[in-house]
Amino acid sequence: MSYDFRAIESRWQAHWKQNATFRVAVDPERPKLYVLDMFPYPSGEGLHVGHPAGYTATDTYTRYKRMRGFNVLHPMGWDAFGLPAERFAIKTGMHPAARTAQCIATFKRQLEELGFSYDWSRELDTTDPRYYRWTQWIFLQMWGSWYDAHMGRARPIEELPIPDGVHIGGERAISEYRDAHRIAYLHEAPVNWCSDLRVVLANEEVAEHVEAGHEVVRRPMKQWMMRITAYAERLLSDLEGLEWPPNVIEMQRNWIGRSEGAQIDFHVADTSQRRTITVFTTRPDTVFGATYMVLAPEHPWVTELTGSAQREQVAAYVQVAARRSERERQAASAEGHKTGVFTGAYVLHPFTGTELPIWIADYVLLGYGTGAIMAVPAHDERDHAFAKQYGLPIAEVVAGGSCSVQEQAFVGEGKSVNSDFLNGLDTTQAKRSMIDELVRRGLGRARVTYKLRDWLFSRQRYWGEPFPLLHRPDGTIEAVPDDQLPVRLPELDDYSPSETGEPPLAKAKTWRELPDGSLREVNTMPQWAGSCWYYLRFLDPHNDRQAWSKEAERYWMPVDLYVGGAEHAVLHLLYARFWHKVLYDLGHVSTKEPFARLINQGMVLGASFFPRDRRRDSTGKRVSFRPDEVEPLDGDDGQTTWKVRDTGEAVDIQWDKMSKSRGNVISTDDVVNTYGADTLRLYEMFLGPLEHSAAWQQDGVVGCHRFLQRVHRLFFEESPSRGNGEVDIGNDVGNDVGNHVGNHASRDRPRKLPPGEGTLRQRQLLHRTIHDVTERSDRLAFNTAISAMMVFVRDIATEGELLCFEAGRQFCLLLAPLAPHLAEEIWAALGHTRSLAYEPWPAADEAFLDADSFALVVQINGKWRAEVQAPRAASQRELEALARALPQVQSALAGRSSRRVVVVPGRLVNFVV
Ligand code: ANZ
């Protein structure tokens, strides 16, 4: 075979590296474009074909945009702190830094072998002290500021007004007052404590540990928190201007969870208690329907309110609730299962004076609203289920339900009934009227509440950034001075936490204890920290005086396109946006938002095969086979089925997200070694629209490889015998290139292409292709850009016409973003001595674009099948008929009925079968 992709790819990768082809700098003369991939956590397993789907898209896009004249910043780095390296260290004794370096080396080699056009001079690693020095600096910005709610922004803590009452208390009181207002603050918060492993678990880790038989309890611990709630409103309203997928915007909105409602005060009936309990409700119009009250089990007043008769029961309930995470509690409650106990105490209804019993129940959460609710079982489902379970009264106060509220809660809006001065009002009016009345009587007030909680920012782990803070002997906290940053991680022999639950860093005594008696903070930052600002460090990664320069920030920000997995749709993006806003308030960045445009790439699904009636073996382990262990078997019904090659056992195919545990992973190394990086890149993009998930199929890889072979054949002679040191470069051009890229391997002889642009048909074909590839590349619709190029190659071949020089040159440029190695090889063969990375993109000549007709793409199940010229004026019915008449379509549809036909005039017909 003549298309020697191995030689071609290594030659051009070396060339790009030696010539620093993709290195960029600030250049005010040219428009900038900042295209960012979500940087990976370098795991021990290396890359599988699911990883580079997004990276390939951004790389194709940036290569395209460079040719359109943009100064493109396209960097890559490593999000390298985190638990796996630490667990590996505990298991093997290998230092997490050494393990991390190993994993990074693998990832980097693999990414380089895919030919990505990163500016590698900007590579960064979040675990590098030269990086985390600035993560610590940013932390100190947060610690050193407070949120001024009146001005709606963060300000330096020195500007915090100190009330007179605090002044009287002296320095100590002032210092405590400041600490309580900082954006990064210490707080005693309940955490998930795994007593067997002596670690605090993130909420999402709890289930896994409980399943493994470990005990996980909620326990209060002093923790560093970030006051993200202060930014709730801005995080919400600034979503407005972002070009993000609607579902991500929606997820961010839901996570922030803004609710408008009211706080209402209820007096405790036992007047000796002299207490009021404040509740938060979104339905103040239903106050007259409140028949009992519920406190969260952790509510601070539970013990005092509880009567002696109930004491034991209540204490037992509180203890059980403490074992469950909030998430578990919410899930159990959503399933309709409610538990609770009566405290023996009562509150008085603010309008009727009726005594309402106070219960505690774990469907009420301490961290939301006020941690207490008035229960309106007639109009709230949770309250309804609870009232049914414990026989509490249900009183209708909103008319409009389809059945009796005794049977089912009516949660909709309607007219108020049985509600005194609200009777006859509709819900919106009734809410307003109730709030007015509450305010008049001094019993309540309008309130906006957010689901968003402050961010628990400390971890009891080794492999994270140390906090740059000192605990002074007098109990105050002080920042490590700027000139002493970074605070480096100490060396340890043992990375596990201590018996007492103190973090691993507490074991580094000489590191922790300073001569003046101060102690270093021993928690570390969560993995989010490094990824909250890496996009800023990429702007100016070698700056050792500043985290980034103003000049670089002004030029490059915001990120114009950010591509990554949907699993980061909430937390990473929210945390990064929050940090960015604090930095904005303090004058360190000039844009309100970091990521102007966001795309979530779809997942690449891998195949595994399961025996029909034997999903698990006798020991309960999943039975599955890899694609290379099975072979296709044509069934009676014309459907392809599969059997295990060795045993003949019938198996079914199943598509899932690639993961080691499913055994459906395909490593990029395998594909690159067998077919080359250009084939892999092309197939990644051919899989379908970037946002969609798609199944990785070997046939498709082979199809893309054939296409590249065909392209190669358009430009190079077939060379039947190669190797043996034979050099088959016959002309000056080839020699020149050979010298230029310092190549030793043999090269194919370029064809002599006829000069010019060829026949009118060839020109029409070329300019139509330029037009389509351009328009589709602008939309990142690379799958359809590829089909346009496939059509070009096929049509050139079918007419038996020779590709002319000018058409070949322009086609090569179109190919460059998608199959950059082969395109460079062709470009050199055409006589050029420089990389094509910055060649101007070809322009479609309108004169050759036929305005009356267009190339209609015909798809079956969304996959390209054929393309045909169609009149622009054709109706949808005519387009469908035209598509049906094509032989490729007829054979593909033979015997199958199409469920649906999608016709997009001017573009495509898709038969869904
Ligand atoms: C009375 C009521 C009547 C309510 C009614 C709803 C319907 P969102 O939209 O989620 O903000 N609630 C308040 N604090 C709570 C807490 N800490 N834990 C659990 N539930 C809490 O919902 C706010 C509603 O959730 C509040 O309005 C309250 O129930 C409940 F017909 O109050 B409502």
Side-chain angles (χ1 to χ4, degrees):
M1 190 69 270
S2 182
Y3 165 38
D4 186 1
F5 57 85
R6 285 195 194 88
I8 293 173
E9 292 177 357
S10 58
R11 176 155 56 237
W12 288 100
Q13 284 163 17
H15 175 90
W16 295 327
K17 196 175 204 165
Q18 274 161 26
N19 293 278
T21 306
F22 303 108
R23 188 173 290 180
V24 285
V26 168
D27 177 2
E29 299 299 307
R30 283 196 300 152
K32 68 92 183 181
L33 187 78
Y34 185 179
V35 179
L36 183 66
D37 294 312
M38 289 185 185
F39 68 161
Y41 173 79
S43 70
E45 280 110 54
L47 291 183
H48 65 62
V49 296
H51 294 121
Y55 303 159
T56 310
T58 51
D59 199 66
T60 307
Y61 188 62
T62 52
R63 284 175 178 274
Y64 166 66
K65 285 296 203 176
R66 282 188 200 98
M67 298 171 77
R68 305 281 325 237
F70 285 85
N71 189 24
V72 177
L73 177 57
H74 187 39
M76 184 41 93
W78 319 106
D79 186 15
F81 274 129
L83 205 49
E86 182 158 333
R87 288 207 176 126
F88 193 81
I90 293 173
K91 231 173 30 202
T92 65
M94 183 178 205
H95 195 287
R99 173 65 176 169
T100 301
Q102 256 182 7
C103 297
I104 288 178
T106 306
F107 264 60
K108 184 163 182 192
R109 172 188 61 77
Q110 291 182 311
L111 291 184
E112 283 186 321
E113 284 176 4
L114 291 175
F116 291 137
S117 61
Y118 295 121
D119 176 354
W120 281 112
S121 75
R122 293 175 188 255
E123 177 182 0
L124 59 79
D125 160 6
T126 55
T127 69
D128 182 339
R130 285 168 301 181
Y131 180 86
Y132 71 65
R133 178 225 186 290
W134 298 108
T135 311
Q136 292 174 339
W137 174 81
I138 295 177
F139 174 84
L140 288 179
Q141 302 302 304
M142 311 252 168
W143 184 78
S145 55
W146 62 292
Y147 195 80
D148 182 340
H150 294 292
M151 295 182 69
R153 66 177 184 86
R155 294 170 60 188
I157 194 75
E158 296 75 28
E159 296 174 10
L160 175 72
I162 308 290
D164 293 342
V166 174
H167 263 301
I168 298 169
E171 276 310 306
R172 185 61 192 259
I174 294 174
S175 151
E176 277 170 11
Y177 185 78
R178 283 199 173 127
D179 286 349
H181 285 80
R182 294 174 190 274
I183 288 181
Y185 64 99
L186 260 185
H187 176 67
E188 186 155 280
V191 295
N192 308 305
W193 172 249
C194 177
S195 44
D196 300 344
L197 300 180
R198 304 192 305 264
V199 285
V200 172
L201 303 173
N203 281 335
E204 55 274 17
E205 295 167 335
V206 171
E208 168 199 343
H209 284 76
V210 170
E211 262 172 43
H214 295 304
E215 192 182 52
V216 178
V217 293
R218 302 276 292 164
R219 124 175 184 187
M221 252 189 170
K222 271 217 161 166
Q223 298 281 331
W224 283 100
M225 306 290 291
M226 288 271 180
R227 208 179 298 280
I228 189 173
T229 50
Y231 283 82
E233 199 57 50
R234 282 167 62 186
L235 288 168
L236 198 60
S237 56
D238 288 346
L239 287 170
E240 222 51 66
L242 299 178
E243 199 184 330
W244 283 21
N247 66 313
V248 176
I249 302 249
E250 195 51 28
M251 276 149 84
Q252 296 246 322
R253 281 216 179 98
N254 290 340
W255 192 266
I256 297 167
R258 183 181 199 275
S259 290
E260 272 180 33
Q263 281 185 352
I264 305 176
D265 304 329
F266 286 75
H267 296 291
V268 174
D270 175 356
T271 45
S272 70
Q273 292 246 12
R274 288 252 205 93
R275 283 189 182 281
T276 56
I277 298 177
T278 303
V279 302
F280 171 71
T281 175
T282 46
R283 293 293 301 268
D285 60 306
T286 64
V287 170
F288 287 96
T291 57
Y292 62 100
M293 168 175 278
V294 185
L295 305 185
E298 308 84 350
H299 197 284
W301 298 349
V302 167
T303 320
E304 284 166 65
L305 287 172
T306 302
S308 47
Q310 287 81 13
R311 196 140 288 161
E312 228 166 273
Q313 232 193 331
V314 167
Y317 185 80
V318 169
Q319 212 175 18
V320 172
R323 278 181 213 284
R324 306 170 75 195
S325 75
E326 269 188 17
R327 209 170 273 215
E328 256 183 287
R329 281 162 54 168
Q330 276 168 318
S333 153
E335 278 166 22
H337 184 74
K338 302 264 180 316
T339 60
V341 280
F342 175 49
T343 61
Y346 294 85
V347 286
L348 300 175
H349 190 283
F351 293 97
T352 65
T354 318
E355 290 198 339
L356 309 179
I358 307 176
W359 286 65
I360 61 172
D362 68 2
Y363 76 96
V364 174
L365 306 173
L366 183 66
Y368 185 64
T370 59
I373 64 156
M374 64 171 195
V376 184
H379 303 290
D380 180 279
E381 274 163 5
R382 294 162 299 179
D383 298 342
H384 195 273
F386 192 84
K388 279 283 189 196
Q389 183 142 341
Y390 294 102
L392 294 158
I394 300 172
E396 179 179 42
V397 289
V398 184
S402 58
C403 64
S404 158
V405 293
Q406 302 303 324
E407 296 313 312
Q408 203 183 0
F410 169 56
V411 300
E413 306 205 333
K415 285 232 183 305
S416 289
V417 293
N418 307 323
S419 293
D420 196 345
F421 61 95
L422 301 179
N423 285 341
L425 299 181
D426 61 30
T427 300
T428 315
Q429 287 174 317
K431 281 182 182 173
R432 205 173 309 133
S433 178
M434 175 52 86
I435 291 175
D436 289 346
E437 188 61 18
L438 288 168
V439 170
R440 213 174 57 76
R441 297 194 187 196
L443 289 172
R445 58 218 70 89
R447 258 293 177 284
V448 175
T449 300
Y450 301 89
K451 292 246 153 57
L452 184 67
R453 314 288 172 79
D454 276 345
W455 173 16
L456 197 160
F457 192 71
S458 39
R459 300 289 184 271
Q460 292 68 45
R461 300 253 158 85
Y462 174 76
W463 197 225
E465 301 86 347
F467 284 80
L469 293 174
L470 301 172
H471 297 265
R472 313 261 319 184
D474 66 0
T476 58
I477 295 176
E478 207 171 79
V480 172
D482 200 64
D483 60 5
Q484 289 170 35
L485 298 183
V487 175
R488 286 170 192 267
L489 278 170
E491 295 298 320
L492 287 184
D493 301 325
D494 167 18
Y495 305 97
S496 42
S498 66
E499 313 288 315
T500 58
E502 271 207 303
L505 293 191
K507 294 182 192 169
K509 284 223 160 9
T510 52
W511 174 86
R512 182 188 195 184
E513 293 166 10
L514 271 61
D516 68 355
S518 300
L519 291 179
R520 288 190 193 281
E521 170 67 47
V522 288
N523 284 294
T524 50
M525 298 187 203
Q527 199 183 348
W528 306 107
S531 59
C532 264
W533 74 282
Y534 73 113
Y535 60 95
L536 289 166
R537 188 63 178 170
F538 276 139
L539 308 177
D540 194 9
H542 306 293
N543 194 333
D544 53 14
R545 286 164 298 111
Q546 286 168 292
W548 56 84
S549 74
K550 275 214 153 53
E551 184 206 10
E553 189 276 327
R554 289 247 165 78
Y555 179 71
W556 289 117
M557 285 298 288
V559 174
D560 298 286
L561 175 64
Y562 194 23
V563 177
E567 64 275 24
H568 301 298
V570 181
L571 294 183
H572 160 62
L573 291 169
L574 201 66
Y575 293 154
R577 295 179 62 219
F578 161 53
W579 278 33
H580 194 87
K581 288 183 186 305
V582 179
L583 293 168
Y584 174 82
D585 288 351
L586 300 177
H588 299 300
V589 295
S590 59
T591 66
K592 285 193 177 159
E593 285 284 328
F595 315 120
R597 181 177 179 200
L598 174 76
I599 297 179
N600 290 140
Q601 84 268 11
M603 262 177 324
V604 175
L605 307 177
S608 41
F609 297 82
F610 295 95
R612 292 240 165 105
D613 356 87
R614 197 170 65 94
R615 292 232 144 184
R616 295 185 183 271
D617 67 13
S618 53
T619 66
K621 251 182 56 196
R622 277 160 58 107
V623 181
S624 75
F625 297 91
R626 295 175 49 89
D628 53 2
E629 296 172 303
V630 302
E631 58 192 23
L633 185 71
D634 274 326
D636 304 336
D637 50 0
Q639 298 269 10
T640 306
T641 55
W642 306 80
K643 66 169 187 178
V644 179
R645 194 172 294 129
D646 294 345
T647 63
E649 186 176 18
V651 285
D652 289 327
I653 191 166
Q654 181 172 315
W655 295 99
D656 295 291
K657 178 178 179 173
M658 287 195 182
S659 77
K660 212 170 79 175
S661 64
R662 292 205 179 89
N664 61 357
V665 171
I666 295 176
S667 106
T668 58
D669 284 347
D670 288 347
V671 182
V672 170
N673 288 335
T674 319
Y675 300 101
D678 279 341
T679 295
L680 179 106
R681 296 173 58 116
L682 201 69
Y683 183 59
E684 294 273 359
M685 293 299 89
F686 196 54
L687 272 173
L690 177 54
E691 295 89 341
H692 293 190
S693 292
W696 186 270
Q697 279 167 317
Q698 185 66 9
D699 301 357
V701 180
V702 173
C704 284
H705 190 64
R706 293 231 174 89
F707 168 70
L708 293 179
Q709 283 174 334
R710 227 165 275 149
V711 172
H712 186 264
R713 222 175 296 142
L714 283 177
F715 292 93
F716 295 95
E717 309 272 354
E718 301 291 298
S719 50
S721 66
R722 312 179 47 99
N724 306 331
E726 175 195 319
V727 178
D728 55 355
I729 296 171
N731 60 14
D732 297 346
V733 169
N735 275 328
D736 184 16
V737 171
N739 294 338
H740 180 64
V741 297
N743 164 51
H744 35 88
S746 62
R747 309 184 67 135
D748 290 304
R749 183 195 302 273
R751 282 185 199 283
K752 288 250 179 289
L753 304 183
E757 269 197 49
T759 60
L760 177 61
R761 202 196 73 92
Q762 189 167 119
R763 287 197 211 180
Q764 275 181 342
L765 190 55
L766 173 71
H767 287 278
R768 169 56 52 197
T769 308
I770 295 174
H771 173 274
D772 289 351
V773 173
T774 305
E775 181 263 336
R776 292 165 191 185
S777 299
D778 278 327
R779 290 189 287 118
L780 288 102
F782 297 119
N783 57 323
T784 57
I786 295 169
S787 28
M789 304 202 351
M790 288 179 167
V791 169
F792 177 86
V793 171
R794 185 204 58 197
D795 286 1
I796 286 285
T798 48
E799 293 295 309
E801 196 180 335
L802 279 180
L803 181 66
C804 292
F805 184 88
E806 193 46 32
R809 193 185 77 84
Q810 303 207 28
F811 177 80
C812 170
L813 294 173
L814 297 185
L815 182 71
L818 287 155
H821 307 88
L822 177 57
E824 292 272 24
E825 187 75 5
I826 294 169
W827 192 246
L830 293 175
H832 301 94
T833 54
R834 279 209 333 238
S835 162
L836 51 58
Y838 297 93
E839 278 308 307
W841 186 254
D845 186 339
E846 291 290 330
F848 296 105
L849 298 179
D850 182 354
D852 297 332
S853 71
F854 69 99
L856 176 73
V857 174
V858 183
Q859 301 177 326
I860 291 175
N861 289 340
K863 280 254 180 320
W864 188 93
R865 271 306 160 126
E867 196 160 284
V868 59
Q869 270 321 100
R872 289 235 172 246
S875 70
Q876 299 211 5
R877 195 171 293 219
E878 285 163 343
L879 291 177
E880 182 182 332
L882 193 63
R884 268 192 203 285
L886 294 172
Q888 303 96 306
V889 174
Q890 290 195 338
S891 66
L893 286 182
R896 297 202 270 179
S897 63
S898 44
R899 257 196 294 129
R900 207 153 53 84
V901 183
V902 184
V903 182
V904 185
R907 293 243 329 264
L908 61 82
V909 173
N910 180 17
F911 295 95
V912 184
V913 301

